[in-house]
Amino acid sequence: MTPNELLLWLSARREGSWQQFRGAVQSLDLASNNDETDEASLPLHQRVRFSLERLAHVEFDAAECENGWRVVPPSLALFKHERGATAVLCGARTPNLINRLEAAAAGLSFERIPQPECPDVIKIHALSPEPLRALADKEKLHYAPDASSALLSHIPPIDAFRGWRCEPPPTSGKDWNVRQFVIQKKVIKWRPVTLREASAPHAQGLFCFTLYQRPKYFLREGRMSITLPGAIGKYRILSGHRRRVLKYDRRERRLTVPAILRPPLLTERALILCSGFPAVLHQAADLRPMLTYRDVPEEIAGMAAEVLRQDFA
Amino acid sequence: MKALVILLAAAASVGFVVWLLGRRSRRRQDSQRPAEFPVSRKSDFVSDLSADRDALALAVQTEQSPHGREPPMAEVERTFSETENQKPLEGESLESTTPYEPNGRGLAEHAPNNGGLIAESTTNAEMPPYLRPENSMPAPPFSPPLTPEPFQKPENVQTETAVDEMREDSSIEAHLSCPDPDGIPSVPSAATPDVTVDVLSGASEFVREEVSGEIGGELAQPVPPIHSALGQTIETPVPRYRPPTPRRPQPRPATIQPSSLDRASQKEVSLEIRVRLMLDRAGLREIGFLPVHTPEVGESDVDVKCGEASLRLVAQEDWYQDLQFDDIGTRLQQGVELRGNLQDGRRARWLLSGRDLYILATHPRASGFVSTNRLMVGRSHVVLCTPEILPRVEEMLGMSRCQGYSRVDDDQGVPQRWIALRDVKPTAAISLDLGDNLFNAVKPTPDIEIELEGGVCLRHQIWLAGYPPTIKLFGGSNSAQKVFIDGKEADDLGDGLVIDGYDLPGPHTVHCDGLPVSRSYSVEEPSESWDRWPAYQFTQADICGPLVCARDASKVLLSVPMTNPLLIGAEPGQVFRCPSRSVSVWKGYVPFDPVWALPSQPLICDKKTARIIQLNDARVVNKGAKPKRTPTWCNALLDASRKGLSLQNGSLEAKALWVEYKKVARNIRRAWK
C-alpha cells in the first residue's frame, strides 16, 4: 500500500481507531528517511500521521475522534498569488472523485505531484478564484477561500493559556526519559535531566517526559505546571527569552525555522496550505537542520509570526 | 350368668387387645422393613449429593415411579460423570440436570458399577454410537460414595415416596429420618430425638422447604439426627404444618457455575510471534518480531516481560508494533517469549520458538516479508537459515527447482550467524517426510492455493473499487490448472488472473476447476458524502482540516499596508489598530468593515510619505453617537486632518467623503466639550 492508497483506505473507512491506522500503516513499504528533526526517531506510523495531519487530510485525536482518526471532508483550500489562484485538494479522496476533478478541471491547470511519505499533492490553478469556487460547487466539495489566513486568524497565540490543563509533572517512575528544553546562546536543544530535577519545586521551563515513545510536555512557569503540545511550549519559552528564530525571505517568499522548532500543528498547516507542499528539510550554512516553507506570502508569514509571538530574525 | 357375661367380655377384651397389639407389632415391623428403600438409591443419592442439591428433590429422582421411564442415555452418561465429580459440593441444581422422570431402578440397580452401567444401557436401540459398549472407554471403578457412611444406609435415606403415598391419606403420619453425619447409627434414642410430622395435603412441599435447607444447604454442617416413629410422642418442638403458600413462578436463580466469560477470563491467551524483514537493494534493511494481535486480547497496549526486560506492546489492528532487538540473531535461534497480563486480568503469552530455519513471504497485512510455514510453488520467498544447515537447504531448493535466488549475509544487514536467501521461488513440489522434520519447511507442497494480494483491502474480503486484489494461484502445476472467476475462465496475465469485470463493484468468486479450492471477494464503491465537524474548537472558530467556521461571521478579512494600521469604520467608535508585524502588508480579520486606514500616529508621521487610504465608500452612520465612546475615532480623524495628510485616492468622491467624516468627528468632539 502506498501513501495514496492509504488515504483512499482512510477515506473509505472514514474514521477509526488509532490501532486501525497503525495496522494500515504497517502495510506501507516506505524507505526509512533521514530526517534530523525531532521526528527522526519517530516510527513510520507517526511520521505518516503527522504528514496527513499537516496536509489537512485527516485529523487525529481531535474532537469527535478521540484516540482515533477521522478523515476531513474533501475540500479545496484556496490561496491567491500574483498569477491567479490555486486550490489544493485536502481531505478525503476516492478514485472517482479524483477522476471527476481531473475531468472537470479541463481548461484549468491540474497538477498531481508525488511526495515522500504522504499522498500526492493535487493542485488546480486558475487565473481567478471564481472557476475554482465553481468547480468546488459542481463537485460538492467544501471550499476554503484564503485558508491560511483564516486558520492563522482564528487560532489562539502561543501565550494564550486557555484550554491547557494544569498538571504536575510525574515525580516517580524508573522508565521515564526526561529532557529539558534549553536555550544557551545560539544553541537550542533538549538536554537530558533526571526525574528529580524536572519535578523539583523550583524547576522552571519546558520538560519532556517520555514513556514508551510517548512524550508528554510540561511547561513550568512560576508555581504553575501545565501540559501542552511541545511545539507551543517551545515557542512560549522562545518568546520569554525574546529569541527570534523565524527567517523570512521576501524575494523567495520562503519562511525558514530551525528543524527543532517546527511550528504547532495548525500554524504549520496554514503555512503548508500556502503552497500545498510540506516543509523541506535542509541544512543551513552552519549545518543546522532547517525547515523551509515555500510560497508563503509576506502577510501570512507575518500572521504566523504573530501567532508564534515571534518576529523575523 | 352375669359372671359368664363378664368373663366373655373380659376374654373379648383380651382378645381385642391381643389382636390390637399384634396388628400394631406388624405395622411397626412393616415400617422398619428395609425393602421399602431400594439399595440402588443410595448410589443415586450419593452421586447427587455431590452436586449439592436439594435432598428431597434428589429423592424424587430416585423414587420408583409407576409411570417412570428409562433415563435418556445422555442423562445416564451425565449421572455417571457426576458420580466422578471430585468436587462434591459444586454443581448445578438438580432441576437443570435431570429433567427426565425417574424410574424405579437406581443407577446401581442398572449395573453394579459405572462401567457396567453403560454396557447394560446399550440395549436401547437408539443409543448413539459413542455410548455403545464397543465404543465405550474403559470405565473407572465405581466411585465410592463421597458422603458419610450413614448417608449410604437405606434406612437413613428418606425419599418422597413415602410422603407421596401418605398424601392419599392425610391422617397418616410420615417418618422423616435424617442420617447422622458422625456415623451414629440412626436408631431412636434419647440423644437422637424423634420428630413426627403430620402429613397433610401438600406435605411434600412442606418437607421440601423445611428439610432441604438442612440437608442440601448445610451438608457440611453436622446435621442433627431426626428420627420418627409412628405414634411416638413428639419430644422436640415440631413446626406446625403450614400449607404451601401459593407463589409466583420465580425465575431460576443464578447458577453458581462461572459463566463462559469468567471461565474464558481464567484462561491464558497464547499467541504467536512472527518474524518480519524488509529488504532493499543493498540487502536487509530491517528485521524484527511482530507479535500477533487479535480482537480477543482487546485493543489496549500490553506491558510484557521478555526475560528480565520490560516492554510495552503497542496494539495495532493485526499486530503489535514490531520489536527490534540488538541480539536478534541469538533470539531467532533461541526463540522469544513475552508474558504479560491483559487489561481484563487474563495472562497472555507470545511465543516464537527458536529454530535454525525461517521461511518468509509477503503478507497482506504487513509490508516486507513475514514468516510463514513453508515454501509455496510459484511464490517469492526469503529463506533465513544458519550457515550449518545452508547446504541442506540449498539441496532442497535445488530439488524444488529454485533458480535465481541470491544470498544476503551479515555484511548486508543480516544478523550474525544467519544467512538470507532472497527471491526464492520454487517451481516444483517435493513430497514431505513423515514426522517432525525441520526441512519440511523448504519443501513446497503440491497444494493449490488462491491468493488475493495487493489492492486496497477495506476490510476482510472487501476491496476498494479501482483497487481490486491481484488474484494469484500458487502451488502444484498451476500452469495447467484452470481457474474460473465468476464462472468464466480466467486469463493469466503473468501478474495475476483476470476476466472482464473481475474488478467491478459487487461480489466475485474464484475457484479452481475440479478442485475444492475457492475464494471469494467483493469490490465496494465508497460513499462520497462526508460531514464537516469541529475537530478543533476555539473561542473564535471551529476548525476542521483547512475549513474554518468563524463564530462571528461579521468579521472582514482585510489587507492593509503596515504603514496605515489604524482602521476607522463608518460608525463613530469603530476603531481597530492592527498589531505590529515586521511585514509590509498586514492581513487579518477586522470586526467591522473599515472605511479609512490611517497612519498609526497621524500627528507624528511623515507628512510627505504618509497617506490616508480609503478602503470603501461607506458614509457615516449613527452620527449622533455618544461622544464619550468615540474619542479615539474622533481624534484619529481630526489628527489626520490637522496634520494635513493627503488621500491616497485623490478623487472628488473620496475628498467629499473624508470631509463628511471630519465634520461628524468635529461635531462629536464639540458635543463632548
Side-chain angles (χ1 to χ4, degrees):
Chain A
M1 199 188 281
T2 63
N4 283 319
E5 292 169 347
L6 175 68
L7 182 53
L8 293 174
W9 183 89
L10 295 167
S11 304
R13 295 283 292 253
R14 290 164 181 270
E15 60 184 310
S17 66
W18 177 236
Q19 285 79 13
Q20 287 171 338
F21 174 77
R22 291 182 54 138
V25 174
Q26 189 66 256
S27 56
L28 278 179
D29 192 5
L30 300 175
S32 60
N33 71 346
N34 297 315
D35 197 342
E36 294 182 29
T37 63
D38 276 0
E39 297 177 11
S41 58
L42 292 179
L44 176 64
H45 60 270
Q46 288 285 10
R47 300 201 305 269
V48 173
R49 167 249 172 116
F50 285 129
S51 294
L52 291 168
E53 217 171 16
R54 289 169 190 144
L55 289 166
H57 294 310
V58 183
E59 299 286 14
F60 287 85
D61 198 21
E64 299 188 24
C65 58
E66 290 83 2
N67 298 319
W69 55 270
R70 186 170 174 182
V71 72
V72 169
S75 322
L76 285 184
L78 191 84
F79 60 90
K80 294 177 202 165
H81 46 81
E82 62 274 11
R83 297 183 305 280
T86 300
V88 180
L89 179 64
C90 300
R93 292 177 183 179
T94 65
N96 277 347
L97 176 66
I98 296 171
N99 293 339
R100 286 203 316 270
L101 265 185
E102 194 164 4
L108 307 175
S109 169
F110 183 92
E111 266 190 294
R112 186 167 181 166
I113 305 141
Q115 290 292 304
E117 290 195 4
C118 57
D120 293 350
V121 173
I122 294 179
K123 296 165 78 170
I124 305 164
H125 304 279
L127 294 175
S128 67
E130 285 72 31
L132 298 172
R133 170 145 220 156
L135 179 66
D137 291 343
K138 183 183 173 189
E139 296 302 327
K140 295 178 181 172
L141 304 179
H142 291 272
Y143 182 67
D146 236 331
S148 301
S149 306
L151 280 171
L152 290 170
S153 300
H154 291 98
I155 54 179
I158 51 103
D159 53 0
F161 277 108
R162 183 181 295 179
W164 305 128
R165 194 155 45 96
C166 288
E167 184 183 332
T171 54
S172 60
K174 63 176 182 178
D175 294 326
W176 287 107
N177 174 25
V178 189
R179 296 175 299 162
Q180 184 179 14
F181 183 71
V182 291
I183 302 171
Q184 295 167 339
K185 297 182 179 177
K186 287 190 174 180
V187 178
I188 298 174
K189 64 177 183 180
W190 285 104
R191 183 187 66 183
V193 293
T194 63
L195 185 68
R196 177 179 282 187
E197 287 172 329
S199 55
H202 60 271
Q204 299 285 293
L206 180 67
F207 296 90
C208 175
F209 289 70
T210 307
L211 184 66
Y212 299 124
Q213 295 186 339
R214 291 184 182 181
K216 193 170 184 183
Y217 297 89
F218 292 86
L219 180 65
R220 306 193 65 185
E221 285 188 348
R223 291 181 178 181
M224 192 168 55
S225 171
I226 55 172
T227 56
L228 75 183
I232 292 179
K234 288 177 193 174
Y235 276 94
R236 179 149 179 89
I237 296 287
L238 290 170
S239 171
H241 283 72
R242 298 180 184 279
R243 290 292 292 266
R244 299 177 175 183
V245 294
L246 298 186
K247 287 182 183 171
Y248 183 68
D249 184 336
R250 286 182 172 79
R251 199 178 59 182
E252 298 289 333
R253 306 207 325 159
R254 288 180 174 172
L255 184 72
T256 304
V257 295
I260 193 175
L261 297 170
R262 189 184 278 274
L265 170 66
L266 294 179
T267 309
E268 188 176 19
R269 181 180 291 175
L271 294 172
I272 287 172
L273 287 177
C274 293
S275 63
F277 296 107
V280 177
L281 180 77
H282 61 96
Q283 282 194 331
D286 56 358
L287 301 179
R288 280 195 303 169
M290 306 292 283
L291 290 170
T292 294
Y293 301 88
R294 63 174 102 165
D295 296 333
V296 180
E298 188 183 12
E299 57 268 30
I300 299 295
M303 292 171 85
E306 188 180 323
V307 168
L308 298 174
R309 294 291 186 248
Q310 280 282 308
D311 208 343
F312 299 129
Chain B
M1 188 62 188
K2 197 173 185 177
L4 183 61
V5 170
I6 292 170
L7 279 172
L8 284 173
S13 300
V14 170
F16 177 73
V17 168
V18 169
W19 172 79
L20 194 64
L21 287 173
R23 184 184 171 205
R24 186 170 180 177
S25 172
R26 279 199 303 277
R27 285 186 64 177
R28 180 175 292 176
Q29 285 170 1
D30 288 347
S31 69
Q32 292 177 349
R33 192 181 300 163
E36 288 277 344
F37 308 95
V39 176
S40 62
R41 289 176 197 158
K42 70 180 177 185
S43 62
D44 289 350
F45 191 41
V46 166
S47 67
D48 287 321
L49 278 176
S50 67
D52 187 17
R53 292 166 186 159
D54 182 317
L56 284 180
L58 289 168
V60 169
Q61 181 187 353
T62 57
E63 73 177 350
Q64 293 194 21
S65 169
H67 45 78
R69 60 178 170 83
E70 292 285 337
M73 286 303 117
E75 300 302 338
V76 172
E77 187 179 48
R78 179 157 54 215
T79 311
F80 169 74
S81 64
E82 284 171 2
T83 311
E84 293 301 300
N85 188 356
Q86 296 304 307
K87 295 180 179 178
L89 298 183
E90 292 178 14
E92 296 179 354
S93 66
L94 174 69
E95 291 77 7
S96 66
T97 54
T98 54
Y100 65 90
E101 286 190 11
N103 64 6
R105 292 177 296 170
L107 295 182
E109 194 178 12
H110 280 285
N113 57 48
N114 286 349
L117 168 67
I118 291 179
E120 187 177 291
S121 301
T122 58
T123 52
N124 189 340
E126 294 175 6
M127 169 175 270
Y130 58 85
L131 283 181
R132 290 183 185 144
E134 62 270 23
N135 298 333
S136 65
M137 298 292 290
F142 178 69
S143 301
L146 300 171
T147 47
E149 182 69 16
F151 277 71
Q152 303 168 38
K153 294 181 179 176
E155 61 270 29
N156 294 339
V157 180
Q158 186 57 270
T159 74
E160 205 174 19
T161 309
V163 176
D164 284 345
E165 284 173 358
M166 281 183 269
R167 279 183 192 163
E168 304 298 327
D169 182 1
S170 59
S171 64
I172 303 175
E173 293 174 320
H175 310 270
L176 283 181
S177 66
C178 196
D180 182 357
D182 297 323
I184 301 169
S186 58
V187 291
S189 70
T192 56
D194 291 350
V195 178
T196 303
V197 180
D198 291 333
V199 179
L200 303 174
S201 297
S204 59
E205 284 82 1
F206 163 73
V207 170
R208 192 171 305 180
E209 278 184 20
E210 296 299 320
V211 181
S212 66
E214 293 178 21
I215 298 177
E218 300 176 11
L219 206 58
Q221 301 296 323
V223 180
I226 305 172
H227 306 282
S228 68
L230 190 63
Q232 283 188 346
T233 311
I234 297 172
E235 296 181 14
T236 54
V238 178
R240 295 294 301 165
Y241 168 72
R242 289 175 299 166
T245 311
R247 288 181 295 183
R248 288 181 184 175
Q250 296 293 316
R252 186 182 161 192
T255 55
I256 308 168
Q257 281 277 341
S259 67
S260 58
L261 191 66
D262 292 339
R263 276 200 294 268
S265 71
Q266 292 164 7
K267 285 194 297 186
E268 182 181 80
V269 180
S270 291
L271 295 165
E272 59 176 328
I273 299 174
R274 302 278 190 101
V275 179
R276 182 175 77 149
L277 62 80
M278 316 277 278
L279 296 171
D280 59 17
R281 288 181 196 166
L284 192 147
R285 191 175 81 217
E286 191 178 302
I287 183 166
F289 296 122
L290 272 182
V292 170
H293 175 250
T294 62
E296 182 195 5
V297 298
E299 287 202 343
S300 56
D301 300 347
V302 186
D303 292 327
V304 294
K305 285 277 184 187
C306 179
E308 295 297 314
S310 297
L311 298 168
R312 169 165 286 191
L313 297 184
V314 182
Q316 300 172 359
E317 197 161 27
D318 300 297
W319 318 100
Y320 287 93
Q321 185 178 344
D322 50 347
L323 304 173
Q324 312 268 341
F325 292 98
D326 293 335
D327 57 344
I328 195 158
T330 309
R331 291 178 187 270
L332 283 169
Q333 249 180 319
Q334 296 179 355
V336 181
E337 185 182 25
L338 308 174
R339 284 184 174 276
N341 288 322
L342 301 176
Q343 204 169 30
D344 57 8
R346 284 179 296 163
R347 290 192 302 274
R349 176 185 186 229
W350 287 263
L351 183 67
L352 173 74
S353 52
R355 64 195 89 162
D356 291 338
L357 175 67
Y358 290 90
I359 308 294
L360 300 100
T362 54
H363 192 282
R365 304 297 291 164
S367 59
F369 291 83
V370 179
S371 54
T372 184
N373 294 334
R374 59 164 47 91
L375 292 178
M376 189 178 281
V377 172
R379 191 174 211 177
S380 183
H381 303 80
V382 173
V383 175
L384 197 61
C385 65
T386 55
E388 293 79 25
I389 64 166
L390 180 64
R392 189 75 200 282
V393 169
E394 291 199 300
E395 182 190 336
M396 298 287 176
L397 295 182
M399 290 167 66
S400 60
R401 294 183 216 151
C402 289
Q403 293 172 345
Y405 64 85
S406 57
R407 285 191 197 181
V408 187
D409 53 27
D410 53 0
D411 292 341
Q412 297 162 291
V414 175
Q416 285 191 339
R417 300 195 306 280
W418 287 88
I419 288 176
L421 305 175
R422 66 188 296 179
D423 301 326
V424 175
K425 195 171 181 180
T427 56
I430 307 176
S431 59
L432 298 180
D433 296 340
L434 291 176
D436 186 16
N437 187 340
L438 173 71
F439 294 100
N440 277 344
V442 278
K443 295 176 181 174
T445 60
D447 299 338
I448 287 181
E449 285 186 27
I450 298 167
E451 292 278 317
L452 305 176
E453 295 181 342
V456 177
C457 181
L458 296 178
R459 53 191 168 272
H460 309 303
Q461 300 301 314
I462 301 172
W463 267 258
L464 179 68
Y467 294 84
T470 303
I471 303 165
K472 290 186 175 177
L473 195 67
F474 293 116
S477 54
N478 53 0
S479 57
Q481 180 64 50
K482 285 185 178 178
V483 179
F484 291 84
I485 303 174
D486 298 336
K488 296 178 187 172
E489 188 173 346
D491 298 322
D492 191 354
L493 300 182
D495 58 346
L497 299 160
V498 295
I499 60 160
D500 285 342
Y502 87 103
D503 54 351
L504 292 178
H508 301 275
T509 55
V510 187
H511 76 273
C512 293
D513 188 26
L515 292 174
V517 180
S518 66
R519 288 288 297 268
S520 61
Y521 67 96
S522 61
V523 176
E524 193 173 277
E525 196 84 63
S527 165
E528 288 202 11
S529 64
W530 285 273
D531 295 326
R532 179 176 176 161
W533 88 100
Y536 299 96
Q537 296 169 328
F538 299 109
T539 51
Q540 298 183 42
D542 293 338
I543 293 173
C544 176
L547 306 169
V548 179
C549 180
R551 302 197 197 288
D552 184 0
S554 64
K555 283 190 174 181
V556 182
L557 184 63
L558 187 76
S559 292
V560 289
M562 205 63 231
T563 53
N564 290 45
L566 190 60
L567 306 179
I568 305 296
E571 190 173 336
Q574 285 183 333
V575 180
F576 180 83
R577 188 178 292 276
C578 302
S580 175
R581 294 176 188 166
S582 301
V583 290
S584 56
V585 178
W586 184 92
K587 190 172 188 180
Y589 280 85
V590 181
F592 54 89
D593 201 0
V595 180
W596 306 104
L598 307 178
S600 176
Q601 301 288 340
L603 278 178
I604 57 172
C605 64
D606 186 354
K607 185 177 173 180
K608 294 176 184 173
T609 56
R611 296 285 182 272
I612 297 168
I613 300 174
Q614 184 188 1
L615 299 173
N616 71 51
D617 54 1
R619 301 186 65 179
V620 185
V621 295
N622 192 13
K623 296 176 184 175
K626 292 184 179 178
K628 285 188 179 176
R629 292 186 181 177
T630 57
T632 312
W633 189 86
C634 298
N635 290 344
L637 289 168
L638 295 176
D639 287 352
S641 173
R642 192 174 300 128
K643 184 75 175 181
L645 296 179
S646 54
L647 291 168
Q648 191 181 45
N649 173 12
S651 65
L652 291 175
E653 293 81 11
K655 285 179 182 174
L657 190 66
W658 176 247
V659 170
E660 182 187 338
Y661 273 79
K662 275 197 303 183
K663 280 185 179 175
V664 172
R666 194 171 293 129
N667 291 340
I668 292 172
R669 170 78 71 84
R670 282 178 185 156
W672 178 52
K673 284 180 178 176

